[in-house]
Amino acid sequence: MTVLVLDNPELIAQAAVAHGFNPATLVTEGKRPHRLRFHYGFNKHALDALDTEIILQHAAYLRQHPGVSILIHGHSDNFGAEDFNRFLSRQRTNAVARLLIKEGVAESRVLVASWGSARPLATPDDRAANRRVELEYLSSDMAKAQ
């Protein structure tokens, strides 16, 4: 028997989906999805199918918990002009926000922040890691303070 060990979570997820796994079945009543970070390709702002499924799980959780809001942080890499990087990070946050709102999350509970390349996750040279959207859950009191 040959066993292939993959240490890349994205490849593992893609292989699971290719073999018929549906990530939407992982939603357990009342539990928040664990994945809070979504990465993008160069100059991209659209989510892939797997990421969209996970965002839909977040929407289901938010509908079940009306006292919780979400802050979407958009980021880009440091390649190119910072004005464009802020614009691209805003497109990323807006795409996620629109999907949550379309799925029934009240617009007043969806907050966005677009940082451009100002808050890298990794070193500035690790551009792929820095092109991302991160979700942050807020209680009602925390959301009002924003």
Side-chain angles (χ1 to χ4, degrees):
M1 169 192 257
T2 302
V3 177
L4 176 63
V5 177
L6 297 174
D7 64 354
N8 184 328
E10 290 299 319
L11 286 177
I12 294 169
Q14 290 172 4
V17 170
H19 285 11
F21 174 74
N22 182 0
T25 61
L26 290 178
V27 176
T28 307
E29 190 71 27
K31 290 197 177 184
R32 181 175 55 111
H34 293 290
R35 187 158 167 225
L36 299 172
R37 186 177 298 140
F38 303 88
H39 291 275
Y40 293 82
F42 178 72
N43 240 7
K44 303 290 183 201
H45 66 276
L47 293 167
D48 65 22
L50 180 60
D51 291 344
T52 299
E53 286 296 322
I54 296 170
I55 295 294
L56 294 177
Q57 293 174 15
H58 284 282
Y61 176 83
L62 288 164
R63 284 192 311 269
Q64 294 169 3
H65 297 86
V68 176
S69 295
I70 194 160
L71 176 56
I72 305 165
H73 297 271
H75 302 272
S76 69
D77 60 27
N78 65 345
F79 188 80
E82 186 56 29
D83 287 344
F84 180 76
N85 290 335
R86 278 194 300 271
F87 170 74
L88 187 56
S89 67
R90 191 168 42 253
Q91 285 184 306
R92 291 171 178 162
T93 57
N94 289 343
V96 174
R98 280 192 307 270
L99 181 56
L100 291 171
I101 292 166
K102 178 182 164 225
E103 290 298 313
V105 179
E107 188 173 346
S108 62
R109 296 173 51 209
V110 179
L111 308 166
V112 296
S114 302
W115 302 105
S117 63
R119 294 185 177 188
L121 176 67
T123 64
D125 292 333
D126 190 0
R127 292 187 170 109
N130 293 325
R131 295 187 298 257
R132 70 197 188 282
V133 161
E134 295 177 342
L135 305 180
E136 178 183 0
Y137 279 87
L138 307 171
S139 70
S140 295
D141 294 335
M142 289 174 65
K144 290 176 187 171
Q146 294 286 332

